[in-house]
Amino acid sequence: MNFAGKTAVVTGGSRGLGRAVCLELAAGGANVALCYAGNEAAARETVAACEALGAKALAVRCNVAEAGEVKALMDAAVKTFGRIDILVNNAGITRDGLLMMMKEDDFDAVIDANLKGTFLCMKAAARQMVKQRYGRIVNLSSVVGLRGNAGQVNYAASKAGVIGMTKSLAKELAGRNITVNAVAPGFIGTDMTAAMPEAAKTAVLAAIPMGRMGAPEDVAKAVAFLAGDGAAYITGQVLAVDGGMAM
């Protein structure tokens, strides 16, 4: 992928899937503005890794559920790099639990971070993209948003909502040369999955036709494809990167 001269904003870019996306875009020549919630050290590591690939990078602390902080993130990206060509909405949280025992605060927190955060970032970035008459928005949904999962009513609702917003905004912005797509990862090897009990991992792996978990790089390459010129005629779509789980 050739992203030379383009600027990408990646939310939740300090580690895991977000870091892999930052590195994939940086390797293609993009300037990267990443945001992080609280782990400044990890964010600095990602910036350094992007710079080692020859890219320019910036880290901004941002709670994506707060409109003022999202605006500050986008303003920083434009001030530093002059434009926003790519937005990757990756930031998200989980607070799992069965519905009958789920606290209302846990439901609200996940919806705020995963769904409202995606809404606010798309709204802020789209203003700049409309001015440019160019943009690529890629939202991270989940296989859980496609098929549901016991113990994740809040997470599934947020990720299904991301798909609905993706398709709706794609229709709104298609005439402005702005595409909006989603990637729905399945069981991916990250810090979060590494902490799962072995019995839980075994059960999940049994549901994957390919018989293995994916790597963050698998998701990052799918994001890069949708953000690239080769996907210029693709919008409003959901690309599952899940080893066949959602079939």
Side-chain angles (χ1 to χ4, degrees), residues 68-226:
E69 295 189 27
V70 169
K71 181 179 184 302
L73 167 65
M74 302 303 170
D75 287 348
V78 173
K79 181 179 180 180
T80 304
F81 301 121
R83 54 190 293 120
I84 298 173
D85 300 285
I86 300 162
L87 169 65
V88 181
N89 281 305
N90 167 73
I93 64 171
T94 58
R95 291 193 181 176
D96 298 346
L98 297 175
L99 182 142
M100 295 298 291
M101 301 177 66
M102 184 175 289
K103 297 178 181 178
E104 187 174 344
D105 287 348
D106 289 339
F107 183 87
D108 290 343
V110 170
I111 295 297
D112 280 351
N114 301 2
L115 188 61
K116 182 181 177 182
T118 298
F119 161 74
L120 291 175
C121 289
M122 290 196 301
K123 183 176 181 180
R127 295 183 186 277
Q128 178 66 27
M129 291 177 175
V130 167
K131 292 178 184 177
Q132 300 166 177
R133 296 193 68 82
Y134 178 88
R136 301 286 183 264
I137 298 174
V138 184
N139 297 322
L140 270 292
S141 180
S142 169
V143 65
V144 172
L146 294 171
R147 55 182 287 179
N149 194 38
Q152 290 191 306
V153 164
N154 49 2
Y155 188 73
S158 71
K159 293 302 186 178
V162 165
I163 292 173
M165 289 198 301
T166 296
K167 292 179 176 293
S168 297
L169 188 60
K171 292 183 177 182
E172 293 182 18
L173 298 180
R176 302 297 183 95
N177 195 29
I178 301 169
T179 65
V180 189
N181 292 289
V183 171
F187 191 47
I188 308 297
T190 63
D191 292 344
M192 185 182 300
T193 54
M196 292 175 60
E198 287 302 319
K201 291 181 186 179
T202 300
V204 173
L205 286 170
I208 303 173
M210 291 188 73
R212 64 173 179 85
M213 72 174 69
E217 291 74 20
D218 293 322
V219 179
K221 290 184 184 300
V223 170
F225 167 69
L226 291 173

Side-chain angles (χ1 to χ4, degrees), residues 6-10 25 30-34 83-88:
K6 294 182 178 178
T7 296
V9 174
V10 181
L25 298 177
N31 302 318
V32 177
L34 65 98
R83 54 190 293 120
I84 298 173
D85 300 285
I86 300 162
L87 169 65
V88 181

